[in-house]
Every structure is written in structure tokens, then in C-alpha cells.
């Protein structure tokens, strides 16, 4: 029981199986160092939409910074 509790505590949330292609594209552009404005232009989205989506991805992955988001998604193999 103690082992299970410890492993559960260390577990990282997985990105849902319904991860959209748009989310993956956004994460790839972030990992390449694109600024929000460039991501918005590249994806045909509004700047506020990009920022809102990044914030939602951070919440989904349980991280506080964009850097932590990059680490979390690379560990899960969502971006190279």
C-alpha cells in the first residue's frame, strides 16, 4: 500500500487521448521558440486564443511556467 501511495504521488498527469492536432502544433511551435504573436499568425488564431490555450495546457499538465510545460510535454513524447 505504501509503494502504491508513493508511486501515485510521483505520477504525472497524461495528456488526454483527445489531444487535438492543433494543441500538438501549438506545443511544437512553442518548443521551437516562436513567440505568441508568431504562433497566432502561423496557426491562423487570435493572440488571446493562443495565450488562453497555452494557459489551459499548463493547467492540464499541472505546471506553473512555460518552461515546465516544455519539459512535461517532451517527457511524454508529445514534441521532440
Amino acid at each position: 500500500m505504501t509503494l502504491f501511495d508513493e508511486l501515485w504521488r510521483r505520477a504525472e498527469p497524461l495528456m488526454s487521448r483527445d489531444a487535438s492536432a492543433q494543441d500538438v502544433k501549438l506545443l511544437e511551435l512553442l518548443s521551437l521558440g516562436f513567440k505568441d504573436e508568431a504562433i497566432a499568425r502561423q496557426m491562423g488564431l487570435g493572440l488571446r486564443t493562443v495565450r488562453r490555450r497555452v494557459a489551459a495546457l499548463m493547467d492540464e499538465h499541472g505546471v506553473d511556467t512555460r518552461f515546465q510545460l516544455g519539459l512535461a510535454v517532451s517527457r511524454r513524447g508529445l514534441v521532440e
Side-chain angles (χ1 to χ4, degrees):
M1 188 73 148
T2 304
L3 176 61
F4 174 82
D5 289 338
E6 181 60 24
L7 291 174
W8 185 263
R9 187 185 67 76
R10 291 183 188 182
E12 295 181 17
L14 292 175
M15 188 168 209
S16 69
R17 298 244 183 236
D18 300 330
S20 72
Q22 201 171 42
D23 286 346
V24 172
K25 178 69 173 176
L26 188 145
L27 290 167
E28 287 173 351
L29 292 173
L30 277 175
S31 72
L32 291 171
F34 280 60
K35 302 237 185 268
D36 292 351
E37 293 83 1
I39 293 171
R41 279 192 309 273
Q42 182 81 14
M43 296 182 67
L45 300 172
L47 179 59
R48 289 179 60 188
T49 301
V50 169
R51 290 182 176 159
R52 189 184 76 237
R53 195 62 209 130
V54 170
L57 287 166
M58 288 170 57
D59 285 343
E60 186 175 333
H61 289 278
V63 297
D64 298 320
T65 67
R66 288 171 176 235
F67 182 78
Q68 290 172 338
L69 177 62
L71 290 175
V73 298
S74 68
R75 274 191 224 136
R76 293 181 181 103
L78 294 174
V79 293
E80 294 180 12

